[in-house]
Amino acid sequence: MFPTLLCLFALLASRVAAQNCTDYSVYSTQYHPPFSAGRYNLSYQRPPLNCRTFVSDVVENTIFRTNHSISDPDLSRLFVNAYPNTLDTAIKWKGYAANNSKEELTFVITGDINAMWLRDSANQMQSYLPVLNASSSNNSIASLYRGVINLQSRYLLTSPYCNSFQPPVESNIPPADNSAAATDIVTPSYSNQSVFECKYELDSLAAFLEVSTDYYTATGDVSFFGQFQWVPAVQQVLNVANLMMIGTYNSDGSVNKPPYTFQRYTTRTTETVANNGVGEPTQSNTSLIRSAFRPSDDSTIYQLFIPANMMFSRYLNSTAEIMSQLPGNDDLASQMSDLSKSLRSAISNYGVVDNPDYGSIYAYEVDGFGSENLMDDANIPSLLSVPFIGYSDNSDPVYTATRKYILSTDNPYYMHGPVISAIGGPHDGPGYAWPMASIVRILTSDDDTEITGELRQLVSSTDGLGLIHESINTFNQSDWTRQWFSWVNGLFGQMIVDLADRKPEVLQQSFQ
C-alpha cells in the first residue's frame, strides 16, 4: 500500500514543485542526511519525492524487501541510493508519438549528459528487468520499456550508425549542445537536431536487440513488436551489420568504399579513427562485423571487436524468435538466426587465440590478418561480461582462461591499488579502475570470497557520497570521474537484487 500511495503523491507533487528541484548534477556532489550508521557514513542521495522523474511501486517494494536482507548499514545505503537512480533522475521525458497517440516514447538520459545513448538506455532499463511484468498501464516499468524500444527504433531508422541522440521533438526539450562533436566529419551525414554524437558502435545495435529481448522474455508481449516501427528498425540493424562486414580490400587489391567514416579534431587518439576516418585495415570474408568504436566510446584499434560480435550474435538469436512470431517475417527471422550462428563460428575462428601463459583465450579485438589486441575494458560488453550477456556460461574453458588473464596485471588495463582494484580502460586512462568491472565480476562469479572482496571495495570507495562513480583513482578515493552515471548505479542495484536471490548469505556479512 505504501509504495502505491508514494507513487500517486510523487506524480501529483512533481507537477507543482519540480521547478524547485536542485539539478542532480549538483545534488549528487553534495552530502545529504541522514547518513548511514556505518564507518563510511554514506550520504543519502535520492532526490526529494517531488523531484524524482518516475516512481514505481514495484521498484519501491523491491528496494524495501531487498534492503531488509542486507545487514551492513553502508551496503544498505549504497543499494538504496543506487538502484532507483535511473527512475529517480534520468527519465527526462515520457509521452507519445505526434503521429500515433498509442506509440509510447521514453527519453532516458545517461545522467550528467543530457542525451540518450542506445547502449546506456538499454542497460538502464535492464536494471529493472527483475520487476518487469506485462502491463498496459502507462505508469508501469513495462511502459518505460516500450517507450525506450519505440524511441530507439525511431533513432535507428533515422541515423543507424549513431550512438547517442537528442530529445524527441514531441518533448519540446531543446537539443543539447555537444561542442566536442561540432566539427566532426562523419559519413553518412546526420543532423545535430536529432543526433548528439555519431560514433558507430556495434554494441549499440546489439543493445537495441537486448532491450527488445528483455521486454519480450519478461512479458511475453509479442504483439507489441508488430505495432509500430520495430520490424523496419531491425531490418535497418541488419543492413548496417551486413555493410560493416565488408573488408578494406577487394581481391584485386582495390580499396572498398567504407560505409562509415569518422574524423574528429582532437588531442586524444581514442576520440577519432585512423586512416582518415576509415580505421586500420580489416580482412575481408571473416564473417565478423566491424565496429569503429567500443562501448566506452573510444575508438577500436582493430575493428573486429569480439565482445560486441558476441553480444550481437546472442541477442540476434533471441530477437529472431520474436520476429518468427510476427506474420510475414519468416525470411527475416531466418536471416537473423543464420547470421547469429555465422558470427559464433567466426568468433571461434578469429576471436580465440593461443597465449603461452594462459592457453586459448578470447582476444579483445582482431583485424583478420593475424593482429590481435589482448586486453579488456570495463564497459559492457567486455570479455569479463561474456556470461552476463548470455553468450556462454562461466564454466566455458576459453572464458575461464580469459577471465584469469584479464583479472591479472598481464591485462594492460587491470588497475590495482589500496583503494580499489578492477579493470579500467583508455577512456579515463591508467590508474583509474571502474567500479562497473567490479560489479560485473560479482555478477559472473560463484565464489563467495571473490564476491565479498569486490563488495568490500565498492562500499569503501564512494568518497562518502554513496553513489557508484565511473572510475576511481586506485590510490585516492577522492579522485573520481562522473558524479552522476545512472547506468552503473542501476547495475549495482541489479547485482544486489541478484545476490539476494542466489547468495543471500553474502549480504548478511559486515563490511565495516
Side-chain angles (χ1 to χ4, degrees), residues 222-458:
V222 71
S223 63
F224 159 72
F225 295 96
Q227 292 177 19
F228 305 110
Q229 301 182 87
W230 187 78
V231 172
V234 171
Q235 291 173 319
Q236 185 82 294
V237 166
L238 285 179
N239 289 341
V240 172
N242 286 320
L243 286 171
M244 293 306 295
M245 295 174 77
I246 299 171
T248 303
Y249 304 111
N250 285 305
S251 58
D252 64 0
S254 59
V255 178
N256 285 312
K257 181 179 180 181
Y260 171 86
T261 65
F262 181 99
Q263 295 179 79
R264 173 174 291 177
Y265 294 101
T266 176
T267 58
R268 292 173 59 95
T269 58
T270 55
E271 284 294 314
T272 191
V273 177
N275 288 324
N276 298 317
V278 176
E280 295 295 336
T282 302
Q283 180 67 279
S284 298
N285 303 315
T286 64
S287 297
L288 291 169
I289 304 167
R290 298 166 68 169
S291 186
F293 289 88
R294 301 169 179 168
S296 60
D297 296 334
D298 299 311
S299 57
T300 51
I301 294 175
Y302 304 123
Q303 291 194 347
L304 302 179
F305 174 45
I306 298 303
N309 276 270
M310 290 174 163
M311 183 178 177
F312 194 79
S313 172
R314 181 265 188 265
Y315 287 109
L316 197 61
N317 185 58
S318 54
T319 48
E321 180 183 341
I322 302 172
M323 191 67 73
S324 69
Q325 297 179 66
L326 301 178
N329 288 288
D330 289 347
D331 288 347
L332 184 55
S334 295
Q335 291 175 41
M336 296 164 70
S337 180
D338 290 347
L339 180 54
S340 174
K341 293 173 185 175
S342 174
L343 286 170
R344 277 193 171 267
S345 177
I347 289 165
S348 296
N349 290 336
Y350 290 95
V352 179
V353 299
D354 290 324
N355 182 277
D357 297 318
Y358 296 92
S360 293
I361 63 174
Y362 290 116
Y364 189 66
E365 297 165 350
V366 298
D367 64 359
F369 291 106
S371 298
E372 59 201 36
N373 181 14
L374 300 185
M375 58 166 280
D376 201 19
D377 185 286
N379 284 267
I380 303 169
S382 61
L383 294 176
L384 183 63
S385 72
V386 165
F388 178 66
I389 62 175
Y391 183 78
S392 70
D393 60 41
N394 60 6
S395 64
D396 168 32
V398 179
Y399 173 74
T400 301
T402 305
R403 184 185 181 93
K404 185 178 179 182
Y405 163 71
I406 59 180
L407 293 176
S408 76
T409 54
D410 288 331
N411 171 9
Y413 285 103
Y414 182 79
M415 315 302 179
H416 61 107
V419 173
I420 182 172
S421 297
I423 297 169
H427 195 73
D428 292 322
Y432 287 84
W434 286 52
M436 180 180 287
S438 287
I439 297 167
V440 172
R441 187 171 181 177
I442 293 169
L443 285 164
T444 55
S445 176
D446 296 316
D447 186 315
D448 287 7
T449 300
E450 181 180 28
I451 292 169
T452 299
E454 297 303 308
L455 284 173
R456 192 176 303 281
Q457 67 178 5
L458 287 167

Side-chain angles (χ1 to χ4, degrees), residues 101 108 128 179 207 213 298 374 411 433 454-455 473:
S101 62
V108 186
Y128 309 111
S179 56
T213 294
D298 299 311
L374 300 185
N411 171 9
E454 297 303 308
L455 284 173
N473 186 322

Side-chain angles (χ1 to χ4, degrees), residues 43 54 118 126 140 144 166 305 344 348 410 430 436 439 490:
S43 171
F54 190 89
L118 298 179
Q126 191 187 64
S140 64
L144 287 181
Q166 302 282 9
F305 174 45
R344 277 193 171 267
S348 296
D410 288 331
M436 180 180 287
I439 297 167

Side-chain angles (χ1 to χ4, degrees), residues 20-37 40-48 51-52 74 77-78 80-81 85 89 462-467 483-484:
N20 298 319
C21 300
T22 302
D23 191 295
Y24 198 73
S25 61
V26 175
Y27 189 91
S28 56
T29 65
Q30 301 168 339
Y31 297 89
H32 309 278
F35 298 96
S36 64
Y40 301 111
N41 202 33
L42 299 184
S43 171
Y44 183 72
Q45 288 289 359
R46 296 194 70 180
C51 297
R52 298 174 190 173
D74 292 323
R77 173 55 54 81
L78 192 52
V80 168
N81 287 342
N85 190 257
T89 70
T462 75
D463 198 25
L465 286 165
L467 289 170
Q483 76 280 16
W484 178 18

